[in-house]
Amino acid sequence: NLNLNFGNLSNIALFRQAYNATIQDLTLTNVLNTGVRYTGSLIGYGDQVEITNVHVAGIVRGNSRMGGLAGYVRNSNLTGCSSEISVTAFGDSHNRADTGGLIGLAYYSTLSESHNRGDVNGYGDNTGGLIGKGYDLDITGCSNSGSITGTGGGTGGLAGILENVTVENCFSEGVVTGEDSYTGGLIGYLFGPAEVKSSYSTSTVTGDLRVGGLIGRNSYQTLISDCYSTGSVSGTDIVGGLLGANTGYSTVTNCFSAGPVTGISETTGGLSGYSNWDFNIEFINSYWDIEASGQTDSDGGEGRMTADMTYPYGADTYLSWNFTSTWAPDVRYEVNNGYPYLGWHETVISHL
């Protein structure tokens, strides 16, 4: 058991601060930690830390920069970790939650093969299943299955807001609810240069402005490839099955969406709600299911009927997709309801 209740202090965790450290093969259960900022179960503030095979469960509460595992890490590596922490950040005077299921703030770091199963509630900006806010990160093989709720801007199944990142082989399948702008099944707000590849969301996504099945807002020098979303998406304005807003210098390649999409405004689309075509946007061999989405229009991508998008797939659908090493056909309708799925999917699921 770990019970650290210091509602008037920051840096609350088993290790309040960790520098140039290695932490591995550790399990913390029945955690109940409370602090103002930089609060987690394992680390409050960490720099140059190697964290491997650490698993935590319990409750973490505070105002901002909260994480199930760590409040803030930089120049660090996190591998093979998991959290079943219920995280709640009540927000600070700047309306920041900066709260994640594993890490609140993460800079200049790598995260691999790590997973969140706890619920995350952020009363402010930047709330995510894995990370609240991240900059200059490599994220590989990570996932979220908790319910994520944010009242401010930037709410995502994996991350609230990411900038200058690579995300690969990641997924989210928990419920994602945002009450402000930038809500996405995987990422609330993605700002480049950034690349998201071979990742997906089955999350049910509900938001207000700029809501997407995968990404709420996708902006500036981003590459999205071999990704999909199949959960239902609903919002008020700028709502899309894959992307809510697509606002500059971005390329979307070999992606699809196949969930119900509901919006009040005209900027509601099967694949993309809004794309700013004045700034070099491309959609290449990317599709949405007209019947499943209930949307005949999209600001980008190509609409197809369900029969064309599910096995045995239409001759003019999934053109030039790699069904040898990236995608797999759902021949028996057992993995993705007949839609293609990513080849790594079954291996990762079996290890969760």
Side-chain angles (χ1 to χ4, degrees):
N1 295 344
L2 181 66
N3 188 339
L4 301 173
N5 188 358
F6 297 96
N8 60 340
L9 298 176
S10 296
N11 297 343
I12 303 302
L14 178 64
F15 302 104
R16 295 188 65 185
Q17 297 180 335
Y19 298 93
N20 194 23
T22 297
I23 304 171
Q24 63 185 33
D25 303 329
L26 178 66
T27 298
L28 299 175
T29 59
N30 298 319
V31 173
L32 180 56
N33 289 358
T34 303
V36 178
R37 297 195 308 166
Y38 304 122
T39 298
S41 60
L42 184 70
I43 297 173
Y45 181 101
D47 193 351
Q48 301 180 62
V49 183
E50 299 287 332
I51 308 170
T52 305
N53 192 33
V54 175
H55 308 281
V56 296
I59 297 171
V60 169
R61 299 176 298 198
N63 289 350
S64 66
R65 300 174 182 180
M66 322 291 295
L69 195 74
Y72 178 31
V73 297
R74 55 186 289 130
N75 305 308
S76 298
N77 299 308
L78 186 145
T79 305
C81 297
S82 69
S83 173
E84 295 183 42
I85 296 277
S86 173
V87 183
T88 301
F90 296 102
D92 60 19
S93 59
H94 300 284
N95 195 42
R96 295 175 303 199
D98 293 340
T99 296
L102 262 73
I103 301 172
L105 284 177
Y107 285 12
Y108 318 113
S109 299
T110 66
L111 295 87
S112 62
E113 307 303 329
S114 296
H115 312 285
N116 174 61
R117 303 182 187 93
D119 296 341
V120 182
N121 294 279
Y123 294 88
D125 295 340
N126 312 325
T127 303
L130 201 73
I131 301 166
K133 181 179 180 180
Y135 178 82
D136 199 354
L137 306 176
D138 286 320
I139 306 172
T140 306
C142 296
S143 71
N144 167 67
S145 57
S147 294
I148 312 303
T149 302
T151 65
T155 303
L158 197 74
I161 181 169
L162 294 176
E163 181 178 353
N164 191 25
V165 299
T166 298
V167 176
E168 184 173 9
N169 293 8
C170 294
F171 71 91
S172 174
E173 57 185 14
V175 174
V176 179
T177 304
E179 298 180 11
D180 205 328
S181 296
Y182 319 129
T183 304
L186 197 72
I187 302 167
Y189 191 158
L190 179 67
F191 191 84
E195 184 173 8
V196 178
K197 53 188 176 181
S198 296
S199 298
Y200 71 89
S201 170
T202 61
S203 295
T204 297
V205 182
T206 303
D208 184 17
L209 176 65
R210 302 181 184 91
V211 185
L214 193 76
I215 301 171
R217 180 174 179 177
N218 177 43
S219 181
Y220 187 69
Q221 294 185 357
T222 59
L223 300 174
I224 315 297
S225 62
D226 298 307
C227 294
Y228 70 87
S229 59
T230 57
S232 65
V233 183
S234 61
T236 301
D237 191 16
I238 310 180
V239 183
L242 191 80
L243 307 173
N246 200 28
T247 56
Y249 305 100
S250 65
T251 301
V252 179
T253 304
N254 297 354
C255 296
F256 77 87
S257 62
V261 180
T262 306
I264 295 175
S265 74
E266 293 181 357
T267 49
T268 300
L271 193 71
S272 174
Y274 168 78
S275 295
N276 189 338
W277 296 100
D278 292 332
F279 294 96
N280 299 333
I281 290 173
E282 286 188 282
F283 285 85
I284 301 170
N285 299 332
S286 295
Y287 312 92
W288 83 92
D289 188 321
I290 294 171
E291 295 171 280
S293 68
Q295 299 294 328
T296 57
D297 294 319
S298 175
D299 205 4
E302 303 175 49
R304 296 288 188 270
M305 305 305 284
T306 302
D308 294 315
M309 294 193 63
T310 52
Y311 192 81
Y313 311 136
D316 64 345
T317 308
Y318 309 127
L319 298 177
S320 300
W321 285 35
N322 183 347
F323 279 92
T324 302
S325 59
T326 302
W327 293 94
D330 190 9
V331 177
R332 297 183 179 180
Y333 284 62
E334 293 178 345
V335 180
N336 204 23
N337 295 317
Y339 298 97
Y341 63 94
L342 294 162
W344 55 262
H345 171 92
E346 290 179 300
T347 302
V348 170
I349 292 297
S350 68
H351 286 84
L352 289 181

